[in-house]
Amino acid sequence: MNRVHIKTYGCQMNERDSEAVAAMLRGRGYSIVSDEADADIVLLNTCSVRELAEQKAMGKAGHLRKRRRKNPDFMIGVMGCMAQNRGVNILDRLPDLDLLVGTQKFHAVPDHLDHLIATRQGQGPRPATIIDLDAEEGSQNTIRAHSEERKISAFVSIMQGCNMKCSYCIVPKTRGEERARPMDDIVAEIEELARNGTKEVTLLGQIVNQYAVREFPFANGKSPFVQLLERVNAIDGIERIRFTSPHPVGFREDLIECYGRLEKLCEYIHFPMQSGSDRILKQMRRPYTVERFKRIVAALRARCPDLCISTDVIVGFPGETEEDFELTRQAFADIRFDMAYIFKYSVRPGTTAEPLGDPISDELKMQRNQLLLDQLEEYSLAHNKTLLGTVQEVLIESPARKGEGMFVGRNRGYRKIVLPASERLVGELVQVKITEASSTTLIGELVLEGVEVGV
Ligand code: 5AD
Ligand code: SF4
């Protein structure tokens, strides 16, 4: 009765929330299974950022209901953003869900499952769906548990929610107001991870560089986020620091000068631009110009010439003309992003862009998407070719999917590198000489004190 499978949709924040739920459940004696077929309980941790993500989770839940009909002891829960966004309306289509849990109540999942199981075992009436969608003060502090098994690279949630009002975005509705965790708690969590062998941490927040701006004082012109980076940089055992995602608002010199100064801060940044047209940025209620965005990028590159930059862009926002899209292509060409996540605009109910409708056809969105992907492929290949023959520091993460003694890791620029290695080196930082480069993959071989080695 206590084998749980958690399926996660959406962003890294969701992945982290699922991990924390899994760790809390393990602490209560549940076992977490990776194969859905082995589970007595399936929890879907959902995403609402685009309609497709919601459709996928609804479809999945609908499918699981068939299994529940055959086996009444089987339980289904829906957690996270879609639960928060759609609330009890979900029950119109999925009336027999066992559990509906919002983004501020992940920590209550073990209690709810205990209760559900107890009632199944005849210790009370079988409850209708347990619905727990309220806001909760301090809920940002509840995503802290990690599983006991060693995690080479770990996510750490430093804040929740978002106070920006991007016109297309559902996140302020699903995740609520911006709330920061205390810095000491975050540092303690990362120290504990380091003791358990974690080498790399990624600090997560909707707008990480705004971390605790209201709760924590600036010191010598340094924002709370920069102070946090400095403290994480000082933790023994942690070798690499990443964060996602920053916003041009409040992206100042104090953060720029961390690059190169904090030796563990990796030469990589995910920096969402959303559009290369000032007119569209304004419609999106993104409070910066393309010029300002480029100035930040230029300052970062001046400080850190090897910096790899990825971005998010939305194509087909209502009213995006050919000229607007050309400006996005131009910005891509000027900045030469190493990677980008390109999204086709999706209307989100309740956002301020909703009344604008969705006038741009899917076909045009696909075309624009493809044009940007083609550009990216060119930049990515050119960048990867510059790495040929160089020696990169690689953190080996796991065996490669295709096996055959191959392993995968990433360099500090977040490029994936495949190399022959051995299980013993998983979790180690090694020096790797790059021998082959395509736009998507780098292949390399281990180097030991300047000498290439076989394994
Ligand atoms: N439609 C398409 N993409 C969206 N994003 C956020 N909201 C929408 C939407 N309504 C994208 C943004 C954001 C990323 C996580 O998802 O680019 O940075
Ligand atoms: Fe959405 Fe904007 Fe907040 Fe990002 S910053 S989560 S795009 S509202």
Side-chain angles (χ1 to χ4, degrees):
M1 267 307 267
N2 67 357
R3 290 166 303 175
V4 182
H5 174 77
I6 305 180
K7 182 164 173 59
T8 308
Y9 299 83
C11 66
Q12 289 152 323
M13 195 83 82
N14 268 21
E15 265 179 57
R16 174 69 196 109
D17 294 338
S18 293
E19 255 177 30
V21 170
M24 289 185 265
L25 285 172
R26 279 201 191 95
R28 283 283 179 94
Y30 289 83
S31 60
I32 304 298
V33 294
S34 54
D35 190 344
E36 184 190 302
D38 297 334
D40 309 302
I41 303 167
V42 173
L43 302 175
L44 304 179
N45 191 10
T46 57
C47 168
S48 285
V49 86
R50 281 168 293 279
E51 193 185 352
L52 190 65
E54 288 200 339
Q55 279 169 0
K56 275 191 198 158
M58 287 301 275
K60 182 78 195 169
H63 201 70
L64 289 169
R65 283 176 72 205
K66 290 185 195 144
R67 198 164 142 196
R68 193 178 187 284
R69 262 181 244 130
K70 282 190 209 135
N71 171 11
D73 285 337
F74 179 66
M75 288 192 261
I76 311 169
V78 171
M79 320 187 285
C81 285
M82 187 176 74
Q84 200 70 53
N85 183 34
R86 298 200 175 200
V88 291
N89 295 334
I90 292 181
L91 300 177
D92 295 345
R93 272 181 56 193
L94 304 168
D96 47 8
L97 278 189
D98 297 282
L99 189 58
L100 191 61
V101 174
T103 53
Q104 305 200 24
K105 295 290 186 176
F106 287 112
H107 62 98
V109 169
D111 279 348
H112 293 324
L113 290 188
D114 283 356
H115 180 67
L116 283 164
I117 289 171
T119 53
R120 288 283 190 286
Q121 290 165 346
Q123 300 164 25
R126 182 182 169 136
T129 312
I130 293 183
I131 299 169
D132 197 358
L133 299 168
D134 289 344
E136 182 180 310
E137 200 170 323
S139 63
Q140 71 274 22
N141 301 324
T142 61
I143 303 297
R144 57 191 310 164
H146 289 269
S147 66
E148 273 158 24
E149 74 198 41
R150 179 187 180 197
K151 230 175 303 148
I152 295 151
S153 179
F155 292 139
V156 174
S157 170
I158 65 169
M159 62 201 290
Q160 287 286 339
C162 183
N163 284 359
M164 301 300 277
K165 298 200 164 40
C166 305
S167 63
Y168 51 81
C169 188
I170 195 81
V171 168
K173 180 174 170 201
T174 60
R175 296 248 172 201
E177 299 256 296
E178 220 169 86
R179 290 108 56 213
R181 290 179 62 196
M183 202 180 292
D184 289 345
D185 286 8
I186 299 168
V187 170
E189 180 178 326
I190 299 175
E191 283 170 347
E192 176 71 24
L193 283 166
R195 276 194 291 276
N196 288 334
T198 294
K199 294 270 172 74
E200 177 179 272
V201 285
T202 303
L203 309 178
L204 299 178
Q206 293 300 336
I207 302 191
V208 273
N209 52 317
Q210 289 284 80
Y211 164 74
V213 283
R214 278 170 302 278
E215 294 96 335
F216 203 86
F218 280 59
N220 304 322
K222 288 177 189 165
S223 66
F225 183 60
V226 167
Q227 295 172 53
L228 175 63
L229 287 177
E230 288 178 345
R231 287 187 61 185
V232 179
N233 193 63
I235 296 175
D236 277 346
I238 297 297
E239 305 279 0
R240 290 177 167 191
I241 306 170
R242 305 184 190 279
F243 56 80
T244 195
S245 296
H247 192 295
V249 160
F251 201 117
R252 285 188 245 288
E253 184 53 35
D254 61 328
L255 180 51
I256 293 166
E257 71 84 46
C258 287
Y259 286 89
R261 177 170 71 88
L262 302 180
E263 73 283 1
K264 297 177 184 174
L265 183 61
C266 287
E267 292 77 20
Y268 169 72
I269 190 166
H270 179 66
F271 195 27
M273 180 175 78
Q274 310 298 1
S275 169
S277 156
D278 287 344
R279 203 180 68 82
I280 294 294
L281 285 174
K282 212 166 183 176
Q283 298 278 311
M284 289 176 162
R285 300 200 183 180
R286 300 277 297 179
Y288 55 89
T289 59
V290 179
E291 204 41 53
R292 158 118 177 99
F293 187 88
K294 284 191 198 160
R295 271 206 307 275
I296 298 172
V297 169
L300 282 164
R301 283 194 167 137
R303 176 87 200 169
C304 179
D306 293 338
L307 191 73
C308 286
I309 307 180
S310 63
T311 197
D312 286 345
V313 167
I314 299 176
V315 290
F317 185 83
E320 185 187 65
T321 61
E322 279 306 316
E323 292 77 56
D324 291 318
F325 178 64
E326 271 314 307
L327 289 167
T328 299
R329 283 184 31 97
Q330 188 58 51
F332 260 52
D334 293 345
I335 297 170
R336 289 181 78 89
F337 292 109
D338 297 283
M339 244 295 276
Y341 301 87
I342 301 161
F343 302 103
K344 287 176 275 172
Y345 177 68
S346 164
V347 185
R348 303 288 56 220
T351 58
T352 52
E354 185 191 8
L356 303 174
D358 195 4
I360 302 205
S361 70
D362 208 46
E363 201 186 343
L364 191 53
K365 286 179 194 167
M366 302 262 260
Q367 258 179 36
R368 290 180 178 172
N369 180 36
Q370 192 55 49
L371 284 166
L372 292 179
L373 287 177
D374 293 346
Q375 256 178 297
L376 269 178
E377 194 179 324
E378 179 194 331
Y379 307 149
S380 183
L381 181 63
H383 175 88
N384 280 355
K385 283 201 164 149
T386 65
L387 299 180
L388 271 176
T390 65
V391 173
Q392 301 285 309
E393 179 202 276
V394 174
L395 178 60
I396 301 191
E397 290 171 13
S398 61
R401 223 177 290 156
K402 65 172 187 174
E404 293 161 15
M406 300 299 274
F407 287 74
V408 280
R410 290 187 191 266
N411 69 356
R412 287 174 59 102
Y414 205 57
R415 287 278 158 177
K416 206 176 249 180
I417 293 166
V418 180
L419 69 154
S422 69
E423 195 62 45
R424 194 175 55 81
L425 292 174
V426 171
E428 297 301 319
L429 287 167
V430 293
Q431 299 296 317
V432 175
K433 184 171 176 187
I434 305 301
T435 53
E436 282 177 52
S438 71
S439 64
T440 52
T441 317
L442 291 166
I443 296 180
E445 56 198 29
L446 286 168
V447 168
L448 199 60
E449 289 163 9
V451 190
E452 287 150 40
V453 289
V455 194

